[in-house]
Amino acid sequence: MSFVGNCGTFTRGYKAMIMDVEFLYHLLYLLICALGLFVHEFFYSLLLFDLVYREETLLNVIKSVTRNGRSIILTAVLALILVYLFSIVGYLFFKDDFILEVDKLPNETLLPDRTEPGETMTGEFLYSDVCKAGSSENCSSIIPSDQLITEEMEEENKEHTCETLLMCIVTVLSHGLRSGGGVGDVLRKPSKEEPLFAARVIYDLLFFFMVIIIVLNLIFGVIIDTFADLRSEKQKKEEILKTTCFICGLERDKFDNKTVTFEEHIKEEHNMWHYLCFIVLVKVKDSTEYTGPESYVAEMIKERNLDWFPRMRAMSLVSSDSEGEQNELRNLQEKLESTMKLVTNLSGQLSELKDQV
C-alpha cells in the first residue's frame, strides 16, 4: 500500500494500476510471502529473485535471453527439427545401437525375504552357495549366487531405448544435447567389421557438427551478443550522464574556455534537484498563491509539456557569447575609425596634389 500510494498509482485509475509492471511485481511478491507463510517454507526461497530485479547487471543477464527471444526460439526450433531427423535415421538404421545403461530402483519383490520363516528353506535352496551334504553335485562347479545376481543385474540395467520413434526422439534429445560429443557418446560402440560402421561414423559426426557445434553455438552467440549490447548501452548511458547536463542537454565541451565550468553549471546553474524541488513546490502550493512563473510551470506540468526547460541553452553561455560579440563589435569599430582617419589623410594629400598641379 505504501508503494502504491507513493508511486501515485491510485491517481492513474484502476486500468493503469493493473497494467503497472512494478505494481504486479509487488503483488506477486506479497503472494509468494503468503504462500510461504501458510503453505510451505519452500516459497520463501523464491524471494531471492528480488536481487535480480534490483541489480541492473543481473537484470541484463535475464534481458540477454528475453530481448532476442524470437531468434533464440527459432534457433531452438531448428535444433528440434534436426533432432527429429536424426531420430528417424537412428530408428530406421541404428535401432540396435541405442543400448543405454539405466539405474533401476531396487524392487524388493524380486528376491525372497529370508527373514520370513516360510521362505527360509527356499532361500537357502535357491541362493545359498554352500555345498549341501548328501548332494551329488560337484561343489567346485557351483557358481556363487552373488555373481549370478550381479550378472543378471548388469543385463537388466541395459535397455533398448529406440524401440519406438518417440523413444528415439527422447533419447537423442536428452542424451545427445547433453553430451559433449553428441549422441555418439552414449550409443553402442560399433565394430569396424560391421557393415554399417561407416554409416554410423557419418551419423555421429553429422550430429556433432550440425547440432552441437553449429546450432547450440548459434544460441550461445545470440545470448552473448545481446549481453554485450546491453552492457554497451549501459556504459553509453553512464557516459551521457557524466558528460551531458540533465536539464539543458549541453555537453561538457560547450563549456571549454568559458567563465563557468561544466561542474559549476550542473551544480549551481542547472542543478536537477533544484528543478525537482520546484516541481514539488508547484504541486504542493495552493494554486491561488501562484506567482506568474509558477502558474506557467504548473500549466506546463499539467499538460506534460517540457518547453519550460532551457533546452540547449544556458545563461552563462549567453552572457559569455554576448561579451564576445561586444568585443568583436569594439574591434570592428576601432578598425573602422582607423580606416576613416586613413581615408581622411589620403583625401587631404590628394587635394594638396591637385592644388600643386
Coordinates of all heavy atoms in Angstrom, one line a residue, residues 192-262:
K192 N 34.5 -52.3 -36.3 CA 34.9 -51.9 -37.6 C 34.5 -52.9 -38.7 O 34.5 -52.6 -39.9 CB 36.4 -51.6 -37.7 CG 37.3 -52.8 -37.4 CD 38.7 -52.4 -37.5 CE 39.6 -53.6 -37.3 NZ 41.0 -53.3 -37.4
E193 N 34.2 -54.1 -38.2 CA 33.9 -55.2 -39.2 C 32.4 -55.2 -39.5 O 31.9 -56.0 -40.4 CB 34.3 -56.6 -38.6 CG 35.8 -56.7 -38.4 CD 36.1 -58.0 -37.8 OE1 35.2 -58.8 -37.4 OE2 37.3 -58.3 -37.6
E194 N 31.6 -54.4 -38.8 CA 30.2 -54.3 -39.1 C 29.9 -53.6 -40.4 O 30.6 -52.7 -40.8 CB 29.4 -53.6 -38.0 CG 29.5 -54.4 -36.6 CD 28.8 -53.6 -35.5 OE1 28.1 -52.7 -35.8 OE2 28.9 -54.1 -34.4
P195 N 28.9 -54.0 -41.2 CA 28.6 -53.3 -42.5 C 28.2 -51.9 -42.3 O 28.4 -51.1 -43.3 CB 27.5 -54.2 -43.0 CG 26.8 -54.9 -41.9 CD 27.9 -55.1 -40.9
L196 N 27.6 -51.5 -41.2 CA 27.1 -50.1 -41.1 C 28.1 -49.3 -40.2 O 27.7 -48.3 -39.7 CB 25.7 -50.1 -40.4 CG 24.6 -50.7 -41.2 CD1 23.3 -50.6 -40.5 CD2 24.4 -50.0 -42.6
F197 N 29.3 -49.7 -40.2 CA 30.3 -49.0 -39.4 C 30.5 -47.6 -40.0 O 30.6 -46.6 -39.3 CB 31.6 -49.7 -39.3 CG 32.7 -49.0 -38.6 CD1 32.7 -48.9 -37.2 CD2 33.8 -48.4 -39.3 CE1 33.7 -48.2 -36.6 CE2 34.8 -47.7 -38.7 CZ 34.7 -47.6 -37.3
A198 N 30.7 -47.5 -41.3 CA 31.0 -46.2 -41.9 C 29.8 -45.3 -41.8 O 29.9 -44.0 -41.5 CB 31.4 -46.3 -43.4
A199 N 28.6 -45.8 -42.0 CA 27.4 -45.0 -41.8 C 27.2 -44.5 -40.4 O 26.8 -43.4 -40.2 CB 26.1 -45.8 -42.3
R200 N 27.6 -45.3 -39.5 CA 27.5 -44.9 -38.1 C 28.5 -43.8 -37.8 O 28.1 -42.8 -37.0 CB 27.8 -46.1 -37.2 CG 27.9 -45.8 -35.7 CD 26.6 -45.3 -35.1 NE 26.9 -44.8 -33.7 CZ 27.0 -45.6 -32.7 NH1 26.8 -46.9 -32.8 NH2 27.2 -45.1 -31.5
V201 N 29.7 -43.8 -38.3 CA 30.6 -42.8 -38.1 C 30.1 -41.5 -38.7 O 30.2 -40.4 -38.1 CB 32.0 -43.1 -38.7 CG1 33.0 -42.0 -38.7 CG2 32.6 -44.3 -38.0
I202 N 29.5 -41.5 -39.9 CA 29.0 -40.3 -40.6 C 27.8 -39.8 -39.7 O 27.7 -38.6 -39.5 CB 28.5 -40.6 -42.0 CG1 29.8 -41.0 -42.8 CG2 27.8 -39.5 -42.6 CD1 29.4 -41.5 -44.2
Y203 N 27.0 -40.7 -39.2 CA 25.8 -40.3 -38.4 C 26.3 -39.5 -37.1 O 25.8 -38.4 -36.8 CB 25.1 -41.5 -38.0 CG 23.9 -41.3 -37.1 CD1 22.7 -40.8 -37.6 CD2 24.0 -41.6 -35.7 CE1 21.6 -40.6 -36.8 CE2 22.9 -41.4 -34.9 CZ 21.7 -40.9 -35.4 OH 20.6 -40.7 -34.6
D204 N 27.3 -40.0 -36.4 CA 27.8 -39.4 -35.2 C 28.5 -38.1 -35.6 O 28.3 -37.1 -34.8 CB 28.8 -40.3 -34.5 CG 28.2 -41.6 -34.0 OD1 26.9 -41.6 -33.9 OD2 28.9 -42.5 -33.7
L205 N 29.2 -38.0 -36.6 CA 29.9 -36.7 -37.0 C 28.9 -35.7 -37.4 O 29.1 -34.5 -37.1 CB 31.0 -37.0 -38.1 CG 32.2 -37.8 -37.7 CD1 33.1 -38.0 -38.9 CD2 33.0 -37.1 -36.6
L206 N 28.0 -36.0 -38.2 CA 27.0 -35.0 -38.7 C 26.2 -34.5 -37.5 O 25.9 -33.3 -37.4 CB 26.0 -35.7 -39.7 CG 26.5 -35.9 -41.1 CD1 25.5 -36.6 -41.9 CD2 26.9 -34.6 -41.7
F207 N 25.8 -35.3 -36.5 CA 25.1 -34.8 -35.4 C 26.0 -33.9 -34.5 O 25.6 -32.9 -34.0 CB 24.7 -36.0 -34.5 CG 23.8 -35.6 -33.3 CD1 22.4 -35.6 -33.5 CD2 24.3 -35.2 -32.1 CE1 21.6 -35.2 -32.5 CE2 23.5 -34.8 -31.1 CZ 22.1 -34.8 -31.2
F208 N 27.3 -34.2 -34.4 CA 28.2 -33.4 -33.6 C 28.4 -32.1 -34.3 O 28.3 -31.0 -33.6 CB 29.5 -34.1 -33.5 CG 30.6 -33.4 -32.8 CD1 30.5 -33.1 -31.4 CD2 31.7 -32.8 -33.5 CE1 31.5 -32.4 -30.8 CE2 32.6 -32.1 -32.9 CZ 32.5 -31.9 -31.5
F209 N 28.6 -32.0 -35.6 CA 28.9 -30.7 -36.3 C 27.6 -29.9 -36.4 O 27.7 -28.7 -36.2 CB 29.5 -31.0 -37.6 CG 31.0 -31.3 -37.6 CD1 31.4 -32.6 -37.9 CD2 31.9 -30.4 -37.2 CE1 32.7 -33.0 -37.8 CE2 33.3 -30.7 -37.1 CZ 33.7 -32.0 -37.4
M210 N 26.5 -30.5 -36.8 CA 25.3 -29.7 -37.1 C 24.6 -29.3 -35.9 O 24.1 -28.1 -35.8 CB 24.4 -30.6 -38.0 CG 25.0 -30.9 -39.4 SD 23.9 -31.9 -40.4 CE 22.5 -30.7 -40.6
V211 N 24.5 -30.1 -34.9 CA 23.7 -29.8 -33.7 C 24.6 -29.2 -32.6 O 24.3 -28.1 -32.1 CB 22.9 -31.0 -33.2 CG1 22.1 -30.7 -31.9 CG2 22.0 -31.6 -34.3
I212 N 25.6 -29.9 -32.2 CA 26.4 -29.5 -31.1 C 27.2 -28.2 -31.4 O 27.2 -27.2 -30.7 CB 27.4 -30.6 -30.6 CG1 26.5 -31.8 -30.3 CG2 28.2 -30.1 -29.4 CD1 25.6 -31.6 -29.1
I213 N 27.9 -28.2 -32.5 CA 28.8 -27.1 -32.9 C 28.1 -25.9 -33.4 O 28.2 -24.8 -33.0 CB 29.9 -27.6 -33.8 CG1 30.9 -28.5 -33.1 CG2 30.7 -26.4 -34.3 CD1 32.0 -29.0 -33.9
I214 N 27.2 -26.1 -34.4 CA 26.6 -25.0 -35.2 C 25.4 -24.5 -34.4 O 25.3 -23.3 -34.0 CB 26.2 -25.4 -36.6 CG1 27.5 -25.8 -37.4 CG2 25.5 -24.3 -37.3 CD1 27.2 -26.3 -38.8
V215 N 24.4 -25.3 -34.2 CA 23.1 -24.8 -33.7 C 23.2 -24.3 -32.2 O 22.8 -23.2 -31.9 CB 22.0 -25.9 -33.8 CG1 20.7 -25.4 -33.2 CG2 21.8 -26.3 -35.2
L216 N 23.8 -25.1 -31.4 CA 24.0 -24.7 -30.0 C 24.8 -23.4 -29.9 O 24.6 -22.6 -29.0 CB 24.5 -25.8 -29.1 CG 23.6 -27.0 -29.0 CD1 24.3 -28.1 -28.0 CD2 22.3 -26.6 -28.4
N217 N 25.9 -23.4 -30.6 CA 26.8 -22.2 -30.6 C 26.0 -20.9 -31.2 O 26.4 -19.8 -30.8 CB 28.1 -22.4 -31.4 CG 29.0 -23.3 -30.6 OD1 29.0 -23.3 -29.4 ND2 29.8 -24.1 -31.3
L218 N 25.1 -21.1 -32.1 CA 24.3 -20.0 -32.5 C 23.5 -19.5 -31.4 O 23.4 -18.2 -31.2 CB 23.4 -20.5 -33.7 CG 24.0 -20.6 -35.1 CD1 23.0 -21.2 -36.1 CD2 24.6 -19.3 -35.6
I219 N 22.9 -20.3 -30.6 CA 22.1 -19.9 -29.5 C 23.0 -19.2 -28.5 O 22.6 -18.1 -28.0 CB 21.3 -21.1 -28.8 CG1 20.4 -21.7 -29.8 CG2 20.6 -20.6 -27.6 CD1 19.7 -22.9 -29.3
F220 N 24.1 -19.7 -28.2 CA 25.0 -19.1 -27.2 C 25.5 -17.7 -27.8 O 25.6 -16.8 -27.0 CB 26.2 -20.0 -27.0 CG 25.9 -21.3 -26.3 CD1 26.6 -22.4 -26.5 CD2 24.7 -21.4 -25.5 CE1 26.3 -23.6 -25.9 CE2 24.3 -22.6 -24.9 CZ 25.1 -23.7 -25.1
G221 N 25.7 -17.7 -29.1 CA 26.2 -16.4 -29.7 C 25.2 -15.3 -29.6 O 25.5 -14.2 -29.3
V222 N 23.9 -15.7 -29.8 CA 22.8 -14.7 -29.7 C 22.8 -14.1 -28.3 O 22.7 -12.9 -28.1 CB 21.5 -15.3 -30.2 CG1 20.4 -14.3 -29.8 CG2 21.5 -15.6 -31.7
I223 N 22.9 -15.0 -27.3 CA 22.8 -14.6 -25.9 C 24.0 -13.7 -25.6 O 23.8 -12.6 -24.9 CB 22.7 -15.8 -25.0 CG1 21.4 -16.6 -25.3 CG2 22.8 -15.4 -23.5 CD1 21.3 -17.8 -24.5
I224 N 25.2 -14.1 -26.0 CA 26.4 -13.3 -25.6 C 26.4 -12.0 -26.3 O 26.7 -10.9 -25.7 CB 27.6 -14.1 -26.0 CG1 27.8 -15.4 -25.1 CG2 28.9 -13.3 -25.9 CD1 28.8 -16.3 -25.5
D225 N 26.0 -11.9 -27.6 CA 25.9 -10.6 -28.3 C 24.9 -9.7 -27.7 O 25.1 -8.5 -27.6 CB 25.6 -10.9 -29.8 CG 26.7 -11.5 -30.6 OD1 27.8 -11.5 -30.1 OD2 26.5 -12.1 -31.6
T226 N 23.7 -10.2 -27.3 CA 22.7 -9.4 -26.6 C 23.3 -8.8 -25.3 O 23.0 -7.7 -25.0 CB 21.5 -10.2 -26.4 OG1 21.0 -10.8 -27.6 CG2 20.4 -9.3 -25.9
F227 N 23.9 -9.7 -24.6 CA 24.5 -9.2 -23.3 C 25.6 -8.1 -23.5 O 25.6 -7.1 -22.8 CB 25.1 -10.4 -22.5 CG 25.6 -10.0 -21.2 CD1 24.8 -9.8 -20.1 CD2 27.0 -9.9 -21.0 CE1 25.2 -9.5 -18.9 CE2 27.5 -9.5 -19.7 CZ 26.6 -9.3 -18.7
A228 N 26.4 -8.3 -24.6 CA 27.4 -7.3 -24.9 C 26.7 -5.9 -25.3 O 27.1 -4.9 -25.0 CB 28.3 -7.8 -26.0
D229 N 25.6 -6.0 -26.1 CA 24.9 -4.8 -26.5 C 24.3 -4.1 -25.3 O 24.3 -2.9 -25.2 CB 23.7 -5.2 -27.5 CG 24.3 -5.7 -28.8 OD1 25.5 -5.3 -29.1 OD2 23.6 -6.3 -29.5
L230 N 23.7 -4.9 -24.3 CA 23.1 -4.3 -23.1 C 24.2 -3.6 -22.3 O 24.0 -2.5 -21.7 CB 22.4 -5.4 -22.3 CG 21.1 -5.9 -22.9 CD1 20.7 -7.1 -22.1 CD2 20.1 -4.9 -23.0
R231 N 25.4 -4.2 -22.2 CA 26.5 -3.6 -21.5 C 27.0 -2.4 -22.1 O 27.2 -1.4 -21.4 CB 27.6 -4.7 -21.3 CG 28.8 -4.2 -20.4 CD 29.8 -5.3 -20.3 NE 30.3 -5.7 -21.6 CZ 31.1 -6.8 -21.7 NH1 31.5 -7.4 -20.6 NH2 31.5 -7.2 -22.9
S232 N 27.1 -2.4 -23.5 CA 27.5 -1.1 -24.1 C 26.4 0.0 -24.0 O 26.8 1.2 -23.8 CB 27.7 -1.4 -25.6 OG 26.5 -1.9 -26.3
E233 N 25.2 -0.4 -24.0 CA 24.1 0.6 -23.8 C 24.2 1.2 -22.4 O 24.0 2.4 -22.2 CB 22.7 0.0 -24.0 CG 22.4 -0.3 -25.5 CD 21.1 -1.0 -25.7 OE1 20.4 -1.1 -24.6 OE2 20.7 -1.4 -26.8
K234 N 24.5 0.4 -21.4 CA 24.6 0.8 -20.0 C 25.8 1.8 -19.9 O 25.7 2.9 -19.3 CB 24.8 -0.3 -19.1 CG 24.9 0.0 -17.6 CD 25.2 -1.2 -16.8 CE 25.4 -0.7 -15.3 NZ 25.7 -1.9 -14.5
Q235 N 26.9 1.4 -20.5 CA 28.1 2.3 -20.5 C 27.8 3.6 -21.2 O 28.3 4.7 -20.8 CB 29.3 1.6 -21.1 CG 29.8 0.4 -20.3 CD 30.9 -0.3 -21.0 OE1 31.3 0.0 -22.2 NE2 31.5 -1.3 -20.3
K236 N 27.1 3.6 -22.3 CA 26.8 4.8 -23.0 C 25.9 5.7 -22.2 O 26.0 6.9 -22.2 CB 26.1 4.4 -24.4 CG 25.8 5.6 -25.3 CD 25.2 5.2 -26.6 CE 25.0 6.4 -27.5 NZ 24.4 6.0 -28.8
K237 N 24.9 5.1 -21.5 CA 24.0 5.9 -20.6 C 24.9 6.6 -19.5 O 24.7 7.8 -19.2 CB 22.9 5.0 -20.0 CG 21.9 4.6 -21.0 CD 20.9 3.7 -20.3 CE 19.8 3.2 -21.4 NZ 18.8 2.3 -20.7
E238 N 25.8 5.8 -18.9 CA 26.6 6.4 -17.8 C 27.5 7.5 -18.4 O 27.7 8.5 -17.7 CB 27.4 5.3 -17.2 CG 26.6 4.2 -16.4 CD 27.5 3.1 -15.9 OE1 28.7 3.1 -16.3 OE2 27.0 2.3 -15.1
E239 N 28.0 7.3 -19.6 CA 28.8 8.3 -20.2 C 28.0 9.6 -20.5 O 28.5 10.7 -20.3 CB 29.5 7.8 -21.5 CG 30.4 8.7 -22.1 CD 31.7 8.9 -21.3 OE1 32.0 8.0 -20.5 OE2 32.4 9.9 -21.5
I240 N 26.8 9.4 -20.9 CA 25.9 10.6 -21.2 C 25.6 11.3 -19.9 O 25.6 12.6 -19.9 CB 24.6 10.2 -21.9 CG1 25.0 9.7 -23.4 CG2 23.6 11.3 -22.0 CD1 23.8 9.1 -24.1
L241 N 25.3 10.6 -18.9 CA 25.1 11.2 -17.6 C 26.3 12.0 -17.0 O 26.1 13.0 -16.3 CB 24.6 10.2 -16.6 CG 23.2 9.6 -16.8 CD1 22.9 8.5 -15.8 CD2 22.1 10.6 -16.8
K242 N 27.5 11.5 -17.3 CA 28.7 12.2 -16.8 C 29.1 13.4 -17.6 O 29.6 14.3 -17.1 CB 29.8 11.2 -16.8 CG 29.7 10.1 -15.7 CD 30.9 9.1 -15.8 CE 30.7 8.0 -14.7 NZ 31.9 7.1 -14.8
T243 N 28.8 13.4 -18.9 CA 29.3 14.4 -19.8 C 28.2 15.3 -20.4 O 28.5 16.2 -21.2 CB 30.0 13.8 -21.0 OG1 29.2 12.9 -21.7 CG2 31.2 13.0 -20.5
T244 N 26.9 15.2 -20.0 CA 25.8 16.0 -20.5 C 25.0 16.5 -19.4 O 24.7 15.8 -18.4 CB 25.0 15.1 -21.5 OG1 25.8 14.5 -22.5 CG2 23.9 16.0 -22.1
C245 N 24.6 17.7 -19.5 CA 23.7 18.3 -18.5 C 22.3 17.7 -18.6 O 21.7 17.6 -19.6 CB 23.6 19.8 -18.6 SG 22.5 20.7 -17.5
F246 N 21.8 17.3 -17.4 CA 20.5 16.6 -17.4 C 19.4 17.6 -17.8 O 18.3 17.2 -18.3 CB 20.2 16.0 -16.0 CG 19.0 15.2 -15.9 CD1 18.9 13.9 -16.4 CD2 17.8 15.8 -15.3 CE1 17.7 13.2 -16.3 CE2 16.7 15.1 -15.2 CZ 16.6 13.8 -15.7
I247 N 19.5 18.9 -17.5 CA 18.4 19.8 -17.7 C 18.4 20.4 -19.1 O 17.4 20.3 -19.8 CB 18.6 21.0 -16.7 CG1 18.5 20.4 -15.2 CG2 17.5 22.0 -16.9 CD1 17.2 19.7 -14.9
C248 N 19.6 20.9 -19.5 CA 19.6 21.6 -20.8 C 20.1 20.7 -22.0 O 19.9 21.0 -23.1 CB 20.4 22.9 -20.7 SG 22.2 22.6 -20.4
G249 N 20.9 19.6 -21.6 CA 21.4 18.8 -22.7 C 22.7 19.2 -23.3 O 23.1 18.6 -24.3
L250 N 23.3 20.2 -22.8 CA 24.6 20.7 -23.3 C 25.7 19.8 -22.9 O 25.7 19.3 -21.7 CB 24.9 22.1 -22.9 CG 24.0 23.2 -23.5 CD1 24.2 24.6 -22.8 CD2 24.1 23.3 -25.0
E251 N 26.7 19.5 -23.7 CA 27.8 18.6 -23.4 C 28.9 19.4 -22.7 O 28.9 20.7 -22.7 CB 28.3 18.0 -24.7 CG 27.2 17.1 -25.3 CD 27.7 16.4 -26.6 OE1 28.8 16.8 -27.0 OE2 27.0 15.6 -27.2
R252 N 29.8 18.6 -22.2 CA 30.9 19.2 -21.5 C 31.8 20.1 -22.3 O 32.3 21.2 -21.8 CB 31.8 18.1 -20.9 CG 32.9 18.6 -20.0 CD 33.8 17.4 -19.5 NE 33.0 16.5 -18.6 CZ 33.0 16.7 -17.3 NH1 33.7 17.7 -16.7 NH2 32.3 15.9 -16.5
D253 N 32.0 19.8 -23.6 CA 32.9 20.6 -24.4 C 32.4 22.0 -24.7 O 33.1 22.9 -25.1 CB 33.2 19.8 -25.7 CG 32.0 19.5 -26.5 OD1 30.9 19.8 -26.0 OD2 32.1 18.9 -27.6
K254 N 31.0 22.2 -24.5 CA 30.5 23.5 -24.7 C 31.0 24.5 -23.7 O 30.9 25.7 -23.9 CB 29.0 23.5 -24.7 CG 28.3 22.5 -25.7 CD 28.6 23.0 -27.1 CE 27.9 22.1 -28.1 NZ 28.1 22.5 -29.5
F255 N 31.5 24.0 -22.6 CA 31.9 24.9 -21.5 C 33.4 25.1 -21.4 O 33.9 25.6 -20.5 CB 31.4 24.4 -20.1 CG 29.9 24.4 -20.0 CD1 29.1 23.3 -20.5 CD2 29.2 25.5 -19.5 CE1 27.8 23.3 -20.3 CE2 27.8 25.6 -19.4 CZ 27.1 24.5 -19.9
D256 N 34.1 24.6 -22.5 CA 35.6 24.8 -22.5 C 35.9 26.2 -22.8 O 35.2 26.9 -23.7 CB 36.2 23.9 -23.6 CG 36.0 22.4 -23.2 OD1 35.8 22.1 -22.0 OD2 36.1 21.5 -24.1
N257 N 36.9 26.7 -22.1 CA 37.3 28.1 -22.3 C 36.2 29.1 -22.0 O 36.1 30.2 -22.6 CB 37.9 28.4 -23.7 CG 39.1 27.5 -24.0 OD1 39.9 27.2 -23.1 ND2 39.2 27.0 -25.2
K258 N 35.3 28.8 -21.1 CA 34.2 29.7 -20.7 C 34.5 30.1 -19.2 O 35.3 29.5 -18.5 CB 32.9 29.0 -20.8 CG 32.6 28.5 -22.2 CD 32.4 29.7 -23.2 CE 32.1 29.2 -24.6 NZ 32.0 30.3 -25.6
T259 N 33.7 31.1 -18.8 CA 33.8 31.6 -17.4 C 33.3 30.6 -16.4 O 33.7 30.6 -15.3 CB 33.1 32.9 -17.3 OG1 31.7 32.8 -17.7 CG2 33.8 34.0 -18.2
V260 N 32.3 29.8 -16.8 CA 31.7 28.8 -15.9 C 32.1 27.4 -16.4 O 31.9 27.1 -17.6 CB 30.2 28.9 -15.9 CG1 29.5 27.9 -15.1 CG2 29.8 30.3 -15.4
T261 N 32.6 26.6 -15.5 CA 32.9 25.2 -15.9 C 31.7 24.3 -15.9 O 30.6 24.7 -15.5 CB 34.0 24.6 -14.9 OG1 33.4 24.6 -13.6 CG2 35.2 25.4 -14.8
F262 N 31.9 23.1 -16.5 CA 30.7 22.2 -16.6 C 30.3 21.7 -15.2 O 29.0 21.6 -14.9 CB 31.1 21.0 -17.4 CG 30.0 20.0 -17.6 CD1 29.0 20.2 -18.4 CD2 30.1 18.8 -16.8 CE1 28.0 19.3 -18.6 CE2 29.1 17.8 -17.0 CZ 28.0 18.1 -17.8

